[in-house]
Amino acid sequence: MALKDYKGVGPKTLTYLEKIGILDERDFWLHLPFRYENYTKVTRVADLEPGPVVVRARVRKLKVNEMRRGLSVTLADLYDESGAVRAIWFNQPYLRQMLKGVQEWLFAGTFGFHRGQMTLQNPRIKSATAKLKEVVPVYSATKGLPSSKIAKIADENRAEVVKIQESLPEELREGRIGRSEALFMAHFPETQEDYVMARERLEYDELLEMFLAVELNKAEQNKLRAPYVAPNVELMRQALSKLPYQLTAGQKQILWAAMQDMTKEVPMNRLLQGDVGSGKTAVAALLMLCAARAGCQAVLLAPTEILARQHFAGWQKFWGLFGVSSALLVGAAEDKYKVQRMIRDNKVQLVVGTTAVLSERVRFPNLGLAIVDEQHRFGVKQRLALLEGGKRAPHLLAMTATPIPRSLQLVMFGDLAVSNLREKPAGRAPIKTKVVPPAGLAEVAKAITETVARGEQVYYVCPLISEGEGVTAEGEYKKLAAKFKKMRVGLLHGKMETEDKVKVAGAFMRREIDILVSTTVIEVGVSSDNATLIVIREADSFGLATLHQLRGRVGRSDKPSSCYLMTSANDAPTARLQEVERSEDGFYLAERDLELRGPGAIYGTLQHGALEETFRRAREEDWREVQEKARDYISKNPTLEGYPELLSGVMRYARTTRLN
């Protein structure tokens, strides 16, 4: 049955469902509850401990604070015979009417520290007199489509879930419950044992689909043919002698491994993970030189124009020393049509660009090497567009400064060769990181004054751009310019015109700006060896990977550097901030980010979230077992004939995870 024909799903609800990625009947039933609540386990207010809780209480002192842009905060005291606790809801002003009177309610939410006090945050509400099951599912929702609405649609159409066909052959099921039974028990569990059994089957399905996708990608990859790029050892020896620094042992190893890859018929398909400031770009530039001298074209695709210009400015002269032509292709360039013609006519060997390189007007007749910098910032279609148009598939090197945990590498990019660049170039001083509450603003101001007095530069990062609620770049720019009148304060954010952004970034790199106030636009591409202090306001609003990337803007010389992570309130710092304060190791932080947030929050590639707990629980040897089963089965049934439901799930992952 089509989703639009489900009971309770009208045109408006259908639109809301589409917003959270539910496009058809299959998507709906795979939108599993992310948590289950037990309203029969009630805790007295006096006995509350941090974490998920259920409270039976009455309401008093309820008020709604209206804020900007239609936002609101609802506050209330919940009380029982043992005491009272403050509750807070965001953007639910209707609670003012709903919670009138002295009726008892059940409140299920998270009890934790917020803005200086322990509160019950965004609790869901049930009538204390309602007959509730032992296990109540809670769904990810969106504005206009609360969890209760999704649960109601599921309940009114529960007969449809039992019609879902089995997706696995018996040899892969291995005695597990059927797929329709697992989905039914996941949405309508009677006991905790029900959803544990359902989760085990659905987790297995998703792991298996991912590994089958990896095997299909490998098979497709092995059909491709790439140009032969000779490993020119003498050229590399000359190139290394021209560099103003020595490569690390790790850079040399990865350079040689990639050069060996490019001698094979099958295209190189390598992921280079390098921590912030580890020298990935040097490896890329040398490989491009190698490809050009072998008679091929090569392209380096950067995620922002600022970064593309920085790469090109840094390597154009170097490549020219070896008689190799190069060009920059970005959307705002006046000569972009000329560069496009030069690429089509094979008159330029090396190209550095942004997504302008993916234009239909751009065709590489002899593309031998494609390098994608910060590959996770490009969509699958964009990456694949780079590989089309030529007679042969180019070798591919994908680079990222946000390391992917080993477990995710295994299931998401199992068909890639992975190189890890862990060591930083010699002479880099460590970065001292400190979490600072708003009360520590004077300490930060002193650090800024001392840094600029030494002739060094400062980044000052804000979460928002415009004037309004919270800390904004435009607002802090005005404050800092007024406070530090003898210092040169600059402003940079994503809404500025590209030309203006390039000018400001260039001025900072030329040391014409002392304090650069910005948003996270500096995360990729803005760099100055002379910057030794970064202040990140409202740091608890950023993800762990973003914080680490931002911190990497400093510490690029032998000068001691500092990073201040300023919190939004005088609360205890979050686990995320504590981890960044504790470690500079991007590989370690990537693993911790996975543990803290789960893979879906980081990479957004999971079908239904059942894997969230698997990534926290499962051992790698368990995954290896599923991988072997997938490999064995695909060798016997390479087209997955007879199992269309399985093929559908596998192809989704095949499209999502392949780079070539």
Side-chain angles (χ1 to χ4, degrees):
M1 183 187 293
L3 188 58
K4 64 181 178 60
D5 297 325
Y6 270 32
K7 294 176 184 176
V9 179
K12 195 172 183 179
T13 299
L14 201 61
T15 300
Y16 287 134
L17 288 169
E18 289 172 355
K19 285 183 179 179
I20 56 175
I22 299 175
L23 306 179
D24 54 29
E25 183 182 42
R26 184 177 188 274
D27 290 339
F28 180 80
W29 294 112
L30 286 175
H31 185 75
L32 300 181
F34 71 89
R35 186 173 70 249
Y36 297 88
E37 292 174 341
N38 187 345
Y39 284 87
T40 65
K41 291 186 177 180
V42 176
T43 304
R44 296 193 322 151
V45 168
D47 299 328
L48 289 176
E49 294 183 357
V53 297
V54 176
V55 174
R56 179 193 291 267
R58 291 184 169 88
V59 179
R60 65 187 177 196
K61 296 182 181 179
L62 186 148
K63 65 176 181 178
V64 178
N65 295 328
E66 302 292 344
M67 302 171 71
R68 61 188 177 89
R69 299 175 187 170
L71 303 180
S72 67
V73 175
T74 302
L75 300 169
D77 287 343
L78 313 181
Y79 68 97
D80 63 11
E81 74 285 353
S82 70
V85 62
R86 171 58 59 96
I88 182 170
W89 294 268
F90 299 99
N91 304 320
Q92 298 179 52
Y94 59 85
L95 294 177
R96 179 163 33 200
Q97 296 298 321
M98 176 179 168
L99 298 178
K100 277 184 175 181
V102 294
Q103 178 183 345
E104 264 195 329
W105 301 89
L106 291 170
F107 299 90
T110 301
F111 184 58
F113 212 59
H114 178 78
R115 299 281 180 179
Q117 70 176 124
M118 296 297 288
T119 61
L120 192 58
Q121 298 162 29
N122 268 324
R124 282 152 302 286
I125 306 167
K126 302 284 184 184
S127 170
T129 59
K131 292 182 179 180
L132 298 172
K133 295 187 299 182
E134 178 185 336
V135 182
V136 178
V138 181
Y139 296 87
S140 296
T142 186
K143 185 178 180 181
L145 189 69
S147 172
S148 57
K149 174 66 173 177
I150 297 174
K152 185 179 180 183
I153 295 171
D155 187 54
E156 290 179 344
N157 297 278
R158 62 169 61 199
E160 299 305 317
V161 72
V162 299
K163 300 176 184 177
I164 293 175
Q165 294 183 345
E166 177 54 50
S167 60
L168 298 183
E170 193 58 42
E171 64 181 283
L172 289 178
R173 273 183 62 180
E174 297 181 329
R176 293 177 175 84
I177 61 174
R179 185 170 177 84
S180 62
E181 185 181 2
L183 287 168
F184 188 90
M185 290 168 69
H187 288 281
F188 314 111
E190 295 295 330
T191 65
Q192 292 187 15
E193 289 73 20
D194 283 355
Y195 72 73
V196 169
M197 288 177 61
R199 184 182 63 194
E200 195 278 334
R201 164 64 202 261
L202 296 170
E203 287 175 350
Y204 175 74
D205 280 8
E206 190 157 18
L207 269 178
L208 188 64
E209 287 172 1
M210 281 186 162
F211 283 125
L212 287 168
V214 165
E215 295 305 315
L216 286 181
N217 283 342
K218 283 181 180 177
E220 290 300 311
Q221 168 79 1
N222 289 334
K223 293 176 184 177
L224 301 174
R225 290 297 174 262
Y228 174 79
V229 178
N232 195 328
V233 177
E234 180 56 33
L235 173 65
M236 285 298 103
R237 187 177 291 117
Q238 293 176 23
L240 294 181
S241 70
K242 301 287 186 184
L243 291 175
Y245 49 81
Q246 286 194 334
L247 294 189
T248 64
Q251 285 173 305
K252 291 177 181 177
Q253 289 170 2
I254 294 167
L255 182 62
W256 180 246
M259 288 170 65
Q260 292 299 304
D261 285 349
M262 293 194 295
T263 66
K264 299 172 183 175
E265 280 188 327
V266 175
M268 172 174 71
N269 206 25
R270 184 172 289 274
L271 174 64
L272 171 53
Q273 301 188 120
D275 210 345
V276 178
S278 59
K280 300 180 298 297
T281 310
V283 174
L286 291 167
L287 288 174
M288 291 174 74
L289 174 62
C290 188
R293 288 293 293 269
C296 297
Q297 292 175 298
V299 60
L300 171 59
L301 184 58
T304 67
E305 183 170 329
I306 291 175
L307 185 57
R309 288 181 180 276
Q310 181 183 314
H311 285 334
F312 185 68
W315 292 100
Q316 180 188 23
K317 290 182 180 178
F318 177 80
W319 290 326
L321 295 174
F322 300 91
V324 172
S325 60
S326 58
L328 175 71
L329 182 57
V330 294
E334 293 181 1
D335 64 344
K336 64 180 179 182
Y337 298 117
K338 177 184 176 183
V339 173
Q340 290 171 357
R341 286 194 302 272
M342 291 171 65
I343 293 172
R344 286 198 302 269
D345 296 339
N346 203 14
K347 291 182 178 179
V348 63
Q349 295 165 285
L350 303 182
V351 177
V352 179
T354 58
T355 50
V357 171
L358 306 178
S359 165
E360 292 182 359
R361 292 174 173 269
V362 179
R363 283 293 176 263
F364 290 86
N366 193 25
L367 185 61
L369 172 64
I371 299 177
V372 184
D373 195 6
E374 294 301 338
Q375 60 87 20
H376 63 286
R377 294 170 180 269
F378 294 96
V380 176
K381 289 182 180 178
Q382 290 173 304
R383 294 201 298 264
L384 295 179
L386 192 61
L387 308 177
E388 295 174 354
K391 296 179 180 177
R392 296 170 297 181
H395 298 286
L396 177 67
L397 178 69
M399 304 195 301
T400 181
T402 306
I404 300 170
R406 275 184 55 80
S407 52
L408 281 179
Q409 287 177 29
L410 192 64
V411 294
M412 290 180 64
F413 301 114
D415 56 330
L416 267 73
V418 179
S419 296
N420 295 325
L421 194 52
R422 291 179 175 271
E423 57 188 314
K424 292 184 179 181
R428 297 284 179 92
I431 304 169
K432 181 182 177 182
T433 305
K434 184 177 181 180
V435 177
V436 181
L441 203 53
E443 178 187 350
V444 172
K446 181 183 176 184
I448 291 173
T449 301
E450 292 173 349
T451 300
V452 176
R454 292 193 302 268
E456 296 162 10
Q457 294 166 283
V458 179
Y459 292 104
Y460 197 95
V461 182
C462 305
L464 303 171
I465 294 175
S466 304
E467 290 276 20
E469 190 78 19
V471 177
T472 68
E474 292 180 348
E476 293 303 301
Y477 168 72
K478 293 175 183 177
K479 291 178 184 177
L480 292 172
K483 184 178 182 65
F484 301 106
K485 292 180 180 178
K486 294 184 179 181
M487 299 181 192
R488 298 166 297 179
V489 183
L491 176 65
L492 182 67
H493 58 72
K495 287 188 177 179
M496 294 169 62
E497 295 293 331
T498 299
E499 184 179 349
D500 294 332
K501 283 191 285 188
V502 171
K503 283 181 180 178
V504 173
F508 188 74
M509 288 185 265
R510 292 191 300 272
R511 306 186 183 185
E512 296 168 4
I513 293 174
D514 299 313
I515 306 171
L516 181 60
V517 183
S518 75
T519 56
T520 55
V521 70
I522 65 160
E523 183 183 352
V524 177
V526 180
S527 180
S528 172
D529 294 346
N530 191 49
T532 59
L533 173 63
I534 183 166
V535 179
I536 305 174
R537 296 296 306 270
E538 309 248 324
D540 38 4
S541 67
F542 296 113
L544 197 154
T546 296
L547 290 172
H548 182 58
Q549 282 273 62
L550 288 169
R551 176 173 57 183
R553 297 303 94 202
V554 298
R556 292 176 172 256
S557 68
D558 57 357
K559 301 172 184 176
S561 294
S562 299
C563 172
Y564 284 99
L565 304 172
M566 295 198 68
T567 58
S568 56
N570 293 316
D571 299 344
T574 62
R576 192 164 60 235
L577 294 185
Q578 290 176 27
E579 291 292 356
V580 178
E581 184 179 42
R582 183 180 300 134
S583 176
E584 276 191 69
D585 185 344
F587 290 88
Y588 164 77
L589 292 176
E591 297 287 350
R592 289 295 291 129
D593 203 20
L594 178 65
E595 292 173 23
L596 291 169
R597 292 199 293 153
I602 302 172
Y603 297 98
T605 61
L606 306 184
Q607 277 189 346
H608 49 68
L611 265 182
E612 294 288 328
E613 289 303 316
T614 304
F615 277 91
R616 295 184 173 97
R617 288 195 314 267
R619 299 169 302 169
E620 189 170 314
E621 51 263 38
D622 296 329
W623 294 17
R624 293 287 183 189
E625 184 180 343
V626 179
Q627 185 181 41
E628 287 302 317
K629 290 175 184 174
R631 190 171 291 154
D632 179 63
Y633 186 75
I634 207 79
S635 67
K636 294 182 287 188
N637 186 3
T639 62
L640 303 180
E641 184 178 355
Y643 297 93
E645 179 76 9
L646 176 61
L647 180 62
S648 175
V650 169
M651 290 310 298
R652 177 190 182 278
Y653 284 121
R655 288 190 296 271
T656 301
T657 60
R658 68 177 174 175
L659 289 186
N660 226 347

